[in-house]
Amino acid sequence: MFNPKMEKLPRRKLEELQLKRLKKILNHAYENVPFYRKKFDEAGVNPNIKSLDELEKFPFTTKDDLRRNMPFNMLALPMEEYVELHASSGTTGEPVTVCYTRNDLEVWAEVMARCLAMAGLTKKDIFQIPIPYGTFTGAFGFHYGGQKIGALIVPTGKGESERQIRLMKYYGTTFIAGIASYALHLANVARKMGIEPSELNVRNGIFGAEMFTEATKKRIMEEWNMDVHDIYGLTEMCGPGVSTDCDEHDGLHLWEDHFYAEIIDPKTGEKLEKEEEGELVLTTLTKEGMPIIRYRTRDITFIYDGLCNCGRTHIKHAPIKGRSDDMLIVKGTNIFPSQIEEAILKNNKVGNNWLMIVDKKGDMDTILVKVEGKKRYSEEERKRIEEELRKEIKIITTLGVNVEVVEPDSLPKHEGKAKRVIDKRKLNQ
Ligand code: DLL
């Protein structure tokens, strides 16, 4: 563990610390961010809370609230206190900009170091970061956390996949980080270069930033012969570093001394109990530059009941099932793209690059799933694989879909977060 004292803090002490920090951050937000002063006054809430449960009475912060106050109206301190800014990737619209003070960067490095150590990073590792260094939080988060641990960082940055593989071989990289779908893309590139990814030195990887299903994890493990950890985070909190799974690989530990987590019913906003699935709502407990209170992440998960065998006392949440705004209603059924991915990656005759096109024929919704074959197949073989996939998708989603296995490398590639869904029903509206 990177910080055993804090990671194993007894629950009672952890909750006392949370209450102390929560009260402080609510006051800080109220006194220094006009947006929060107005919101708290309108809701009639007092920042001097006496118990953690009282946070329930506070209003939510949404992405639209942040967008309306971009780039600098959510800041709580004078401009000269800030030393760096990052922005969300803008998956669902305009990017959200977040500014960090020196202390905020220190906290980010600390939570990242805990996540990386949990995934097995040590100072002996050669740690390659194949993520664009830019306004996206990914690369810098891994960089600061990796440096705190003392690993040798190889900041290869953006894309150029063949170069990534060449450098992995040249430096003997042992640990990589990044976006899940890119790890599988890199494995394909290595093979095309005549290099078997499992024969490289990479033994550990930590991935996140987008939907990350069990089937994807399994495939990365097999193709690279490495252990895989899931890391979750979002720009509004710090970037990557909110939570990661430990070696039990059963849920992600969320750093409760820095983030306060709640699960709500996304429709009613009501708070849900442990083990009940809903939307994750997060409050920053230590972010001085840009405190965020009850942020609706739109990410769907649940919080586990009980303590973990690894000894850490911080709560665990289930891997993110999807974003509530990614959920599609097709033929009256709710589906998440992650369910389609789960079905596809179970089939080892197809690759990991796929696309789902939702459309309408008359009054009927239709789904066409296109997926790249691992190689070129004969007509007969292709039909057989399409049928296997259709059946598997039906088992998981209950929906009948059309499947087309297309040639390798024929679908658009993604170096950042993958775009898997084209909903033509929306485009036609
Ligand atoms: O994606 C931060 C990050 C970088 C996390 C690298 C992990 C690794 P944003 O661009 O603000 O920040 O996007 C945040 O991405 O609300 C989730 O919907 C999704 N997401 C992030 N991590 C995971 C994960 C970064 N492990 C949004 N599993 C979040 C599923 C994830 N979804």
Side-chain angles (χ1 to χ4, degrees), residues 219 347-351 372-375 377 385 388 405:
R219 192 172 272 193
N347 192 313
N348 58 19
K349 294 180 216 80
V350 292
E372 290 178 0
K374 273 231 168 119
K375 54 178 191 186
Y377 293 109
I385 303 169
E388 284 171 13
V405 174

Side-chain angles (χ1 to χ4, degrees), residues 35-66:
F35 165 82
Y36 279 120
R37 175 172 287 261
K38 185 161 176 280
K39 248 193 158 180
F40 291 2
D41 282 346
E42 275 168 9
V45 287
N46 182 340
N48 291 310
I49 54 167
K50 308 244 162 3
S51 76
L52 289 170
D53 290 340
E54 282 180 49
L55 185 64
E56 252 178 82
K57 301 196 191 105
F58 282 70
F60 295 117
T61 307
T62 64
K63 202 166 208 132
D64 280 339
D65 289 329
L66 299 184

Side-chain angles (χ1 to χ4, degrees), residues 319-418:
I320 304 295
K321 182 173 175 186
R323 294 178 57 80
S324 55
D325 33 21
D326 277 352
M327 192 186 78
L328 294 155
I329 302 178
V330 181
K331 300 179 195 171
T333 303
N334 297 349
I335 61 161
F336 284 100
S338 58
Q339 293 174 300
I340 305 280
E341 175 141 321
E342 193 78 46
I344 289 175
L345 291 203
K346 272 190 184 163
N347 192 313
N348 58 19
K349 294 180 216 80
V350 292
N352 63 296
N353 202 10
W354 64 276
L355 186 65
M356 168 179 173
I357 300 151
V358 187
D359 206 348
K360 221 173 178 62
K361 264 209 182 105
D363 281 340
M364 273 289 277
D365 291 330
T366 59
I367 300 183
L368 170 63
V369 175
K370 289 187 174 192
V371 52
E372 290 178 0
K374 273 231 168 119
K375 54 178 191 186
R376 266 191 147 157
Y377 293 109
S378 68
E379 178 80 7
E380 201 184 317
E381 254 177 315
R382 201 164 47 82
K383 290 244 144 46
R384 205 173 35 242
I385 303 169
E386 287 171 355
E387 190 50 35
E388 284 171 13
L389 287 168
R390 241 192 311 272
K391 279 194 185 142
E392 189 61 38
I393 294 175
K394 176 122 200 180
I395 292 171
I396 297 184
T397 65
T398 73
L399 285 174
V401 303
N402 293 317
V403 178
E404 214 178 291
V405 174
V406 299
E407 297 209 348
D409 295 324
S410 60
L411 293 177
K413 298 254 170 307
H414 309 273
E415 282 185 354
K417 302 190 189 214

Side-chain angles (χ1 to χ4, degrees), residues 89 136-137 208-210 230-235 240 299 320 323 417:
S89 41
F136 177 50
T137 53
E210 63 178 8
D230 183 349
I231 181 161
Y232 169 75
L234 57 162
T235 315
D299 293 321
I320 304 295
R323 294 178 57 80
K417 302 190 189 214

Side-chain angles (χ1 to χ4, degrees), residues 49-213:
I49 54 167
K50 308 244 162 3
S51 76
L52 289 170
D53 290 340
E54 282 180 49
L55 185 64
E56 252 178 82
K57 301 196 191 105
F58 282 70
F60 295 117
T61 307
T62 64
K63 202 166 208 132
D64 280 339
D65 289 329
L66 299 184
R67 281 192 185 128
R68 276 194 289 272
N69 287 287
M70 285 298 111
F72 300 133
N73 285 343
M74 295 297 289
L75 303 188
L77 296 172
M79 211 54 183
E80 60 265 30
E81 298 296 325
Y82 297 88
V83 294
E84 188 165 321
L85 74 70
H86 285 282
S88 69
S89 41
T91 347
T92 54
E94 291 256 315
V96 167
T97 303
V98 170
C99 295
Y100 303 67
T101 64
R102 226 173 263 291
N103 191 54
D104 293 337
L105 286 185
E106 181 49 41
V107 169
W108 191 18
E110 157 80 24
V111 288
M112 276 306 299
R114 290 188 205 169
C115 291
L116 288 166
M118 186 144 67
L121 187 77
T122 69
K123 50 169 38 172
K124 292 192 182 139
D125 276 298
I126 299 174
F127 178 22
Q128 186 162 333
I129 305 183
I131 316 174
Y133 278 71
T135 48
F136 177 50
T137 53
F140 283 92
F142 289 110
H143 193 102
Y144 297 145
Q147 263 184 350
K148 203 162 178 72
I149 287 183
L152 175 62
I153 291 174
V154 187
T156 42
K158 184 174 184 305
E160 299 168 29
S161 308
E162 289 194 7
R163 177 180 140 263
Q164 299 284 356
I165 300 293
R166 266 200 314 278
L167 293 180
M168 248 175 230
K169 195 164 175 210
Y170 183 60
Y171 292 122
T173 300
T174 55
F175 198 109
I176 58 174
I179 299 177
S181 53
Y182 192 58
L184 285 173
H185 171 66
L186 279 180
N188 291 340
V189 172
R191 260 189 228 106
K192 273 190 212 131
M193 293 165 72
I195 297 170
E196 194 42 54
S198 60
E199 282 166 15
L200 288 165
N201 245 357
V202 184
R203 287 297 155 262
N204 260 313
I206 186 165
F207 307 101
E210 63 178 8
M211 147 178 86
F212 195 13
T213 61

